Amino acid sequence: MIVIRKLSECTLDQAVQVWNAGFSGYLVDMTTNPDAFMTRQAYEQLSPQHSIVAFEGEQPVGFVLHGIRMAGGRKISWNGGTGVIPAYRGRGVGRKLIEASLDIYRKEGVDTATIEAFASNVPAIALYESVGYVTRDTLLVLRKAGGAAGGGPAEGTGESRGALGDALHPAAGEAGGLPDAAAVRAGGPANASGDLAAAARQTEAPQEGRGGHAALSAAEAGHADGGQSAGGTKAAARHNDAAGRYTLRHGTARDAGLLPFYPALGAWQVHWASLTAGESLIMFEDGKAAGYALYKRVYEASGKLAGVTLYQCEASPDNREPETVLRTLLEAVLDGYGEVSFSASHVPSSRTDLLRLLEEKGFQTVHELVWMTRDMTEEGRA
């Protein structure tokens, strides 16, 4: 008899065991270890109280990981991984877990449930559709051709697997990879900008949440750690010569989340709240936010940069030159690092403007996922 228990009632060894067995033979290598599993829980804000494991007797045979948080005034849930061990596949365990997940969402007052699946995983998509999920967009994971081979050292060496592994967080049991905790860290002033913050507060009195980072020229903001990327300098020169009205400000991921045009609902992993080591570049035109980029730099344990992952790049809908904004941000974030891995995570296929610019920079699609949502409100269930 299958019994559903909370993940918090399981041992760490049981959780890692059922995760690895549940993803055996999967489309990508999802193998994890206790440290990486715990790191994932923290980075992606997954809740052991809301996550569930299916047991037969004392044997864990399947699981669903869940995250729940507020975004844009709505309570959002995310299925952060689903798996069933081989011997129990095809016996209804997956459906039982998904239906139990929906019960948890109802109990917790979730407004919108979200999930992703590889576009090629037709059975999983059919299961999600059968319980009310609807495909809203296709998400692309891209990697820049010609970067450092392999995306960094393999897991188990104590070093990060690099930008692609970091970009492709396991999503709804459909995507792979997370670097070791010790190998991932925020870089430079993103988390150590007190002096800049004080200067900014004295000169411009910014709103709460945006005062941690002084306004920088595009050239100064080319690299968040104080160096100037070739792309950032080039972009600054072009715009300074043309109009002299663009500046870039380096900040935390949360700073971008405070912008009025920040999209509240989207893929869980690229939301600012999931990017604890993330950084932002916010572009200003005549003192008004014109766009932003969210990204993260991934380091090896030695401190050497392994890769850069782009998570979001948006221009304000009020801006008159959206392509200029996007180009400048991409150059500042991605150019001038040399031979490291570059990736872009969960870019909606509907963002043809951004995809075109990434393709011009040599990015190619390596994975395609569907992003699905389910309305959990009374109106949505009617």
Side-chain angles (χ1 to χ4, degrees):
M1 178 181 177
I2 300 297
V3 176
I4 304 297
R5 301 179 187 173
K6 294 180 179 180
L7 179 62
S8 59
E9 299 172 1
C10 302
T11 67
L12 179 57
D13 285 344
Q14 285 176 322
V16 172
Q17 173 193 335
V18 73
W19 172 280
N20 288 335
F23 282 122
S24 62
Y26 197 59
L27 297 171
V28 295
D29 182 9
M30 299 286 287
T31 305
T32 192
N33 58 53
D35 288 343
F37 187 84
M38 294 298 292
T39 298
R40 173 187 169 83
Q41 298 284 304
Y43 270 23
E44 297 189 344
Q45 298 183 352
L46 295 167
S47 168
Q49 288 295 320
H50 298 133
S51 300
I52 53 178
V53 178
F55 278 80
E56 183 166 74
E58 293 304 310
Q59 180 184 3
V61 299
F63 66 91
V64 180
L65 304 186
H66 296 136
I68 298 175
R69 66 181 173 215
M70 296 297 297
R74 295 174 65 83
K75 186 172 281 191
I76 308 299
S77 69
W78 179 55
N79 179 321
T82 300
V84 176
I85 70 173
Y88 283 79
R89 293 172 186 170
R91 296 169 57 176
V93 176
R95 177 173 292 276
K96 185 182 291 289
L97 283 164
I98 295 300
E99 289 175 345
S101 299
L102 295 176
D103 288 339
I104 292 172
Y105 300 159
R106 295 185 186 101
K107 180 180 179 181
E108 295 299 320
V110 167
D111 297 301
T112 303
T114 69
I115 196 169
E116 294 100 41
F118 274 120
S120 61
N121 196 342
V122 176
I125 294 171
L127 170 60
Y128 304 146
E129 289 177 338
S130 72
V131 295
Y133 282 91
V134 177
T135 297
R136 300 299 184 185
D137 210 334
T138 301
L139 305 176
L140 306 179
V141 177
L142 304 97
R143 182 168 58 191
K144 187 173 183 179
E155 188 174 6
T157 65
E159 298 180 321
S160 166
R161 293 195 296 177
L164 178 60
D166 186 53
L168 193 57
H169 293 307
E174 307 299 340
L178 183 68
D180 288 343
V184 182
R185 65 178 186 233
N191 293 313
S193 56
D195 292 339
L196 291 177
R201 282 193 293 270
Q202 291 173 2
T203 59
E204 58 187 21
Q207 297 177 11
E208 187 278 327
R210 303 182 196 177
H213 315 282
L216 306 176
S217 70
E220 291 169 329
H223 273 188
D225 56 13
Q228 292 184 6
S229 73
T233 303
K234 180 169 60 178
R238 180 170 66 247
H239 292 302
N240 287 337
D241 290 343
R245 65 180 184 275
Y246 290 109
T247 58
L248 291 176
R249 178 183 297 167
H250 173 254
T252 66
R254 177 177 177 266
D255 293 329
L258 294 172
L259 296 173
F261 54 90
Y262 182 88
L265 183 62
W268 181 276
Q269 306 96 308
V270 303
H271 190 270
W272 71 263
S274 294
L275 304 177
T276 52
E279 305 173 55
S280 68
L281 280 179
I282 301 176
M283 187 170 180
F284 291 87
E285 179 184 11
D286 299 328
K288 182 180 180 180
Y292 70 89
L294 282 178
Y295 65 101
K296 185 162 66 176
R297 290 176 289 175
V298 182
Y299 294 86
E300 298 176 1
S302 64
K304 179 182 178 182
L305 182 70
V308 180
T309 299
L310 178 74
Y311 292 95
Q312 292 189 42
C313 192
E314 298 275 352
S316 167
D318 298 330
N319 188 267
R320 296 165 296 176
E321 299 176 320
E323 182 172 330
T324 297
V325 171
L326 296 178
R327 282 187 182 277
T328 303
L329 288 166
L330 289 178
E331 288 172 355
V333 170
L334 299 173
D335 289 1
Y337 284 103
E339 289 297 314
V340 299
S341 295
F342 295 94
S343 60
S345 177
H346 295 71
V347 180
S349 62
S350 57
R351 288 295 310 280
T352 55
D353 55 344
L354 179 58
L355 288 168
R356 177 173 56 82
L357 297 178
L358 288 171
E359 289 169 358
E360 288 179 5
K361 286 186 166 292
F363 281 77
Q364 298 176 350
T365 299
V366 293
H367 292 289
E368 183 175 326
L369 305 96
V370 295
W371 180 59
M372 310 179 76
T373 67
R374 188 187 192 281
D375 188 346
M376 297 299 299
T377 64
E378 291 297 333
E379 181 180 348
R381 293 194 293 269

